[in-house]
Structures are given as structure tokens and as C-alpha cells.
Amino acid sequence: MPQLDTRESASPPLTIADAARTEAATVLARVGSSAGGLSQAEAEERLATLGPNAVRTHEASGWSVLGRQFRSPILILLLITAGLSLFLGDATNSIVIGVILLVSVGLGFSNEFRAERAAEALHSRVTHTAVVLRDGTASEVNVTALVPGDVVQLGLGAIIPADLRLLTVKDLLCDESILTGESLPVAKNPAPVAGGAALGDLTSCLFMGTVIQAGSCTGVVVATGGRAEFGRIALGLGERQPQTEFQLGLKRFSFLLLQVAIGLTSLIFVANLLLQRPLIESLLFSLAIAVGITPQLLPAVVSTSLATGTRQLAKRKVLVKRLVCIEDLGDMDILVTDKTGTLTEGRISFTAALPVDGGVSADQLFTLGLLATEADYTEAKRSVVGQNPLDAALWESPDAAAFEPARFERLDVIDFDHQRRRTSVLVRDAGAPARIITKGSPEDVLALCGATPAAVQALLDEQFDAGSRVVAVATRDAAGMEDMSPADEKDLELAGFLVFLDKPKANARESLDRLEALGITVKIATGDNAKVAERVCDELGVLSGGTITGAEAEAMSDPELSAAAREASIFARVSPEQKARIIRLLRQSGGAVGFMGDGVNDALALHQADIGISVDSATDVAKDAADVVLLDKDLGVLADGVMEGRRIFANTIKYVLMGTSSNFGNMFSAATASVVLSFLPMLPGQILLNNLLYDTGQLAIPGDRVDKEQLLAPAHWNISFIRRFMFLFGPISSVFDFATFALMLFVFDAVPGEFRAGWFIESIATQTLIIFAIRTRRVPFLRSRPSLGLLCASLGVVALGVFLPLSPLAGVLGFDPLPVPFFLALLGMTVVYLVLVEIAKQWFFSRAAQQPAVPVLPRVRRRGKDHHVARRAARFSTTTAATAHARRAPLAPRRGRPGRGKRNRVQGPSHPRNS
């Protein structure tokens, strides 16, 4: 076999534009391959030389996580503060700040790195494969293992794994919108194109990341990884993923903190200068206040929460592609799902053949159904892998054993698609004249058969009313025909109906009840007949809000469909575009919409949803479009995921509320005292140490218990709520700080070292113990128990805070010993403080302003092309080192620009069926 020369001195790599205008046989020779593909040994050698077919990395990198820690504005402030202290000769303060900096970085790094390792493990559990010819035999390999010269076999719904030169095609249509922006599918064929054609006109090639919408093909890989056209775009976007709603909320919260920190520190700095305090001392103190008011370990707490949730979800058979998508899962309040496998068992069985033509027996009708399948008859009889569920049910039926594939010669086939909703074959039986057999949805097949007799319609309605899935079969003579097109599907004669049954799931009712208890409205979107869907819902005892068919939806304007969709429970006989439109309108009405689907026809809706959900057995394009992959297609598993998402959000908000309120109160107290007192109430290093101890105790929050009522409805970032909470509970904290100041100055006549030690201990005790009141809206301990980890961590931090001013390190930290009566007074003040906080909490949450409100404007998330590119690029992902190798490999010169020039368009189905 000829070898692909990859040496530096070799001729330039074959570009996709060159391959498009070159004969297929010549391209095979240029890439050192043949129609039978590469040998396994040659493929492995090329993989080692050229690197993997990857444009993303998913290996957890310790260095990148560490780098992110030092990009934090908070840690940069710490570095500046430590540097200024050292420059001014205050080595002790500089060392204290330096130690705090190292501890902060260490805590943040360890938690975030664990979260990245969890994400890496998740990614490894979702695999993407392609069928290639190696040593002349078809086998499945990971898409990242493809190399130039591999011959790939692709079918309906496949995502193209690399840039390919077509060798053979069968009615091939490809969706290239992710590259070109064109919504219409493109017809493909192996014929070379004219020289100078733009990228969009290279009809003899397929491009990485695009989707087969109809037909099948084989092609030889010309370019992989960053050398492919899609790879260039993905690499240009970098590794950064588009932000989720949760991340955007976190950004808005950070902006709030920035505003408060800038305002407060500016006032402190100016006030201290007006009081003629030393410039550098005033600057250091102001910087410490700015650092102290921010929850330093918020990223670590969020990462820990997400990593903990990810592990819990994985145990429940829920895989989340990106950790932050867990928050979006908990945010969901509307779920649109198909019924097969969710409400029903998903095991479709053939039950009966009902002829309507006196000249056709039940056995003959069954044989016609077998003939009108896309799979090779001999192969289908041995294995139903890859077939659609209805065809698979036919071939698995005992009646299929009598079928003799050698009797029949299939001359042509028109594959199923969601526009026609039928499959047609041109078949010759043992030398007899050819005939067309069409099998598909009864409504579409009957439309090709002329007037429908009343008895036939009554028979069909009876099956639909019984909840059966029905496929119609029709035929006509086609003597002399050797091939056919959709235009030949006409003047058919109905042969009868094939009846299938998919029983409702035994636990579906329980799962629906759980989702309802979580405040999630479930709606069904199905390609089935409306009566079948309604029957399933009726058997499960589901109260339907009404049914909208695809034809009815098509006749409605957007406002009309939006209003109707909010009330309806079932969307029947809907096309892929109609599903996506319904999802879009539900989102625009203000709901956070999840969509669950597993077929090619579900990809559009998955991309439109706030949270796309698929299953491990789904088609490539569905898994690619989803944010969450279920290992079990079960609504109960999904309910577990929603609860976990809400639990994580609830614990994150606990930390935010506690951190902002207590930090704001303490820093406001420090700011006021710095103006009133003749000395600084706390040294910069003491402020930072106080904040670090408090934050460290809160790292146990991700494992805390969450009250049941907090899981019953989705929660969202509410900056106004956080601001109101901060401005109520912060001043309460300050009141007790001022009481401590008065105690130290007027009762104990404290010197600066004693004053700082007393306030340090009081501050740690109050702001740490308040966690038990703020973590729940219930009465703490009596009606809501914290987790053991949080209890131990909080009490441990208080104990350490009391010990430090009494320890041998007290002198280094700037503390003086305290009299024993202070601790008795501290105990009394702490008890009074917690009681007052509990009273304020009950008042705060009883007010109308804190009740959930309907948003004035609908909350609509917009997802652009970058989002879709990033999600699709995730399937071409490998380790850091391997991807770096791929990026260093020589790139082919770029030719043309996507979307320019005329295109050979063929109007076809937007999204074919679930294969």
C-alpha cells in the first residue's frame, strides 16, 4: 500500500479544495490509501506522526488551574498589599499577608483542580465513534483516532468526523449551517468540482462538524483536527466555553461586590488622609478592607459544590458535559420530552398486520413491511442494530423467520425523512415486474392512495384509540423502472396497516409526580398520532391541558402558538422545525425550558432549549446537542438531577448571603472605627486572616443539607435580593461590633493590641456562627439540622479564632492577651446577636419583596453560533499533549471563505428521523 509522506521535505499536504476537484481514485492514491482503507498498523503510525483528530482538551491541567488563581483580582490585591508592606519595612505584616495568600491559593487550587478532575472523568464516559475500514473490515473507532487516509462509512444523522473526499453516495444531503450559516441542506455527489470553487460549492467533499440530513456515503479522510475547516474555526474560538445563565449571574454578583468595595475603600482612604494619617498606612488599610469585603473563596466554594454534585449525579446515572450546566438543570421549570422510552417502555413490539385489500393476506402484508426497510435484508435478518425501532420490531418478530431475502432484488430505495414521513423501495420479486412499496405514517401514505373508504378510516381510528402505533403500507406496479424519485410516490394502493405496541412504563406515573412536586410542567412532543399520545397520558392518569398537532401549529402565528403552547400538554405529529419553534416560544414566555430527545430530528430543539437532555443510546447529533446525558432514559433519573442542581444552587447562595452580609458589616465597622479611633482597629494582615479563617470554614457548605422547600421550585440569581439582605444583616453585625468596641474601650480600657484581639475573636465568632441561622428559613437546629461537616468546620474555626490571640503567635500577629471577663461578655453578646439575627430573618422573609415574583420581562437566553461551535467541538477532544501535537502539525493553506459563491442546493428535509 502506498504510504502517506509526512516528512518536512514532502510535497504540501493535500487541501480539501484540491481534493474536491480531483478524481476520487487519485485522492486515494495521494493520501496513501485504497477503497479498503488503511491497515491498522499504518493508521497507528499516522496517528503517532500527525496527532489525534482533536480541537479541544479535556485533561485537567494543574498549571492552568493555578494560573487562574493568580488572575483573581482579590489575590492581586493581596500581592500588592504584601509587596507594599515589605517595601515599607513592615516584614511581619508582609509575611502574614504572604502566608494568607499561599493558603488562599492552595485552598482554591485544590478545590478547583478536584472539580476539573471530575469534569475530565465525566468527559471520558461520553464517547464518540465513527465506522471506518481498517484492513478491509468495518470497525468502530473513536473519532479522535481518525487519520488522513481512513475510509469512513456514514449514515443518516452522523456528524462528519473529519474533512472527507466522497467516494460513494446515496441520496446524500448535508447540513453545513455550522460552517456556512446556510439553513438549506446541500446535495452531495462524488463528481469533481470546477477549480476555484468556494468552500460552500465543494459538493464532492464533506466537512468536519456538519451533519448528514439524508442518505448515506463513504469517504476518505483528507484533513483532521486543526487542519480541517471546522477545526480552524474551533481553534480560533479558543478553549473558553460560552457562559451559562449561572455564570452570568455570578458575574453580575461580582460586579455588585466591586461597586461596594470601590465605594467603601475610597471613602476610607479619603477619610484617613483628611485625618492626616500616614499615606501608605491608609492605603494598606484600604486595600485590606477591599479584600476583606469580598468572599475570597467563592470560586472554590462554587467549584466544590459543582464537583460534589457531579459525583452525586454520576452515581444516579446522569452525566453533565460541563459542570456549570448542573445549575441550569436545577433552573428548569418546563420539560418538553418525547414519550417513547420516557412515558413508555421504549421496547416496541409488532402485534398485528391488518390487510384492507382483499388480495393481500396478513402474511403478505407483513412481508411488504419487511421489504420497505432501508437495511440490507440479509443483514437485517441477522441483526437489527442501527435500525429505527419500528423496523427493528418487524425483524425481531417470529414471523420474520420465514422471510427469504434471496427471492427479492431491491433496485432502489428512498430513505425516510421527516418531511415525507415514509420510506419507499423499488423491489423485484423472483423475476416478476418491479413494484414500489411505500411504508410510513398513515396520514401521509393515505394521501398518496386517493379517497379513503369509511371502513378503512374506522379501522385506523380504532387502533389509534387503543393507543397502538400504526404504519400504513401501500404498493403499485412499476414495470420497467430501474430507479425512482419522490415524484414516483403516487397512485398507490393501500395494502393495510402494521400495528405496534409500546406499553406505558410502570414507574412513569411516579416519575411525573416527582417532577410535578419539583414545580416542573411536563409537555409531550411526539411524531406519533395525537390519539396515541393522548391514550398513553390517559393510561398514566395524566391530566392533559390539550393537544396541538403539527398542522395546527403551522397555521398559528407566533403570539397565538405561544399562548396555546403554555396551556397544551401534547404536541403531536410535529416536525423538527416545529419542535424548535415551540421550545423557542416557551422560553420567550419566561420559562426555563428543558428538552429531552434522542433522535436526529431532536437536534434543533435541543439547541434551542435552556438545557438540552439526551441519553447515552441517542444518535450522535442528539448527544452532541445536549448539555446532559442520561445513562437511563428515565424521568425519575432526571428528577434526581434537577434536585441536585437546586441543592447546589441553594448551597452556593448560602455562602453568598453569609459572606456578603457579615463581610460588609465587619468592613463597615472597621471603616467607621478607623475614622473615630486614634489607631487602626485591625491591622491589614489581621483583617485578611479573619476573612481567610471564616471562608475556610465555609468550604463545608457544599455538603450541607438543604431544606425540602428550597428544592420545590427553581431559584435564580437575584442581585436585588442579595443587596437587600446585605444591607439588613450587615448593619446588625456592625451594631455588635460597635458594642464590642465600647466594651474594649470603656470597660476594659484596652490598648491597641488588646482591642484588636477582642474584635478579632468577636468577629470570628459572630460571622461564623451566623451560618446556622442564615443557612435555613426555618428555626435552626430544631427544624433544620446542618450537616456534621459544616457543624465541625464552623466550631473548629471559632475555636481557632479564639486560640490565635492567646497562642505563641499572638505577638507576631499583633495581638495582646485579653482578660477573662471579656470571654464571658463575648458569650452573652454572641447569644443576643444570634437571637436578633433570627428575629430579623423571620421579618425579612415574611415581607412581600422577598416572595418570588413574575418577571416583568421574559428571561430569554440567546445562543449564537459560537455556542453551537463550542458544543460540537467538544466531541473532538483529547489530552492536552496530544492536542498540542495536532496543533503543531502542518496546516493546509486555506482556500475560499465559507458561505461565499453560488451553491448547488436541493430543498430537502431539515432533520431526518431518529435512526
Side-chain angles (χ1 to χ4, degrees), residues 309-372:
T310 296
R311 289 191 291 271
Q312 294 300 320
L313 287 180
K315 292 177 183 177
R316 292 173 170 84
K317 300 184 177 181
V318 180
L319 303 183
V320 184
K321 286 187 178 180
R322 296 172 56 201
L323 295 183
V324 290
C325 291
I326 298 175
E327 303 286 356
D328 289 339
L329 189 59
D331 201 28
M332 180 174 63
D333 52 19
I334 297 174
L335 172 66
V336 181
T337 178
D338 59 1
K339 66 177 180 60
T340 303
T342 52
L343 300 184
T344 65
E345 292 179 349
R347 293 192 295 272
I348 298 173
S349 56
F350 171 72
T351 59
L354 305 178
V356 298
D357 182 351
V360 178
S361 68
D363 289 341
Q364 289 172 328
L365 177 59
F366 179 81
T367 300
L368 292 175
L370 291 180
L371 290 172

Side-chain angles (χ1 to χ4, degrees), residues 615-688:
V615 293
D616 195 38
S617 58
T619 57
D620 272 358
V621 70
K623 279 201 292 187
D624 167 72
D627 302 294
V628 175
V629 176
L630 307 182
L631 298 184
D632 255 351
K633 193 175 184 182
D634 188 337
L635 293 181
V637 172
L638 184 59
D640 289 338
V642 171
M643 289 182 67
E644 191 63 30
R646 292 181 183 177
R647 189 190 69 79
I648 291 169
F649 189 85
N651 280 336
T652 302
I653 292 298
K654 284 179 191 178
Y655 175 80
V656 167
L657 293 179
M658 289 182 291
T660 51
S661 57
S662 58
N663 284 4
F664 174 73
N666 282 347
M667 295 309 102
F668 179 76
S669 302
T672 304
S674 70
V675 175
V676 174
L677 300 176
S678 59
F679 56 88
L680 290 179
M682 204 181 285
L683 298 175
Q686 293 168 347
I687 292 175
L688 300 176

Side-chain angles (χ1 to χ4, degrees), residues 729-743:
F729 291 93
I732 292 176
S733 174
S734 293
V735 168
F736 282 85
D737 288 337
F738 295 147
T740 303
F741 296 167
L743 182 72

Side-chain angles (χ1 to χ4, degrees), residues 689-727:
L689 178 61
N690 181 293
N691 204 39
L692 178 65
L693 285 176
Y694 164 75
D695 272 348
T696 303
Q698 310 319 304
L699 285 175
I701 286 180
D704 188 29
R705 295 186 178 96
V706 174
D707 296 338
K708 183 179 179 181
E709 60 267 22
Q710 290 182 271
L711 304 177
L712 298 183
H716 311 292
W717 281 100
N718 188 332
I719 302 302
S720 298
F721 173 85
I722 296 171
R723 188 185 298 113
R724 290 193 298 270
F725 195 95
M726 180 172 68
F727 287 136

Side-chain angles (χ1 to χ4, degrees), residues 75 187 318 483 611 661 695 700 764 773:
L75 294 181
V318 180
D483 55 33
I611 183 81
S661 57
D695 272 348
I764 281 288

Side-chain angles (χ1 to χ4, degrees), residues 654 703-705 771-772 775 780-782 784-791:
K654 284 179 191 178
D704 188 29
R705 295 186 178 96
I771 188 173
F772 300 115
R775 61 170 292 277
F781 295 104
L782 297 179
S784 178
R785 292 184 299 111
S787 66
L788 180 62
L790 182 61
L791 182 65

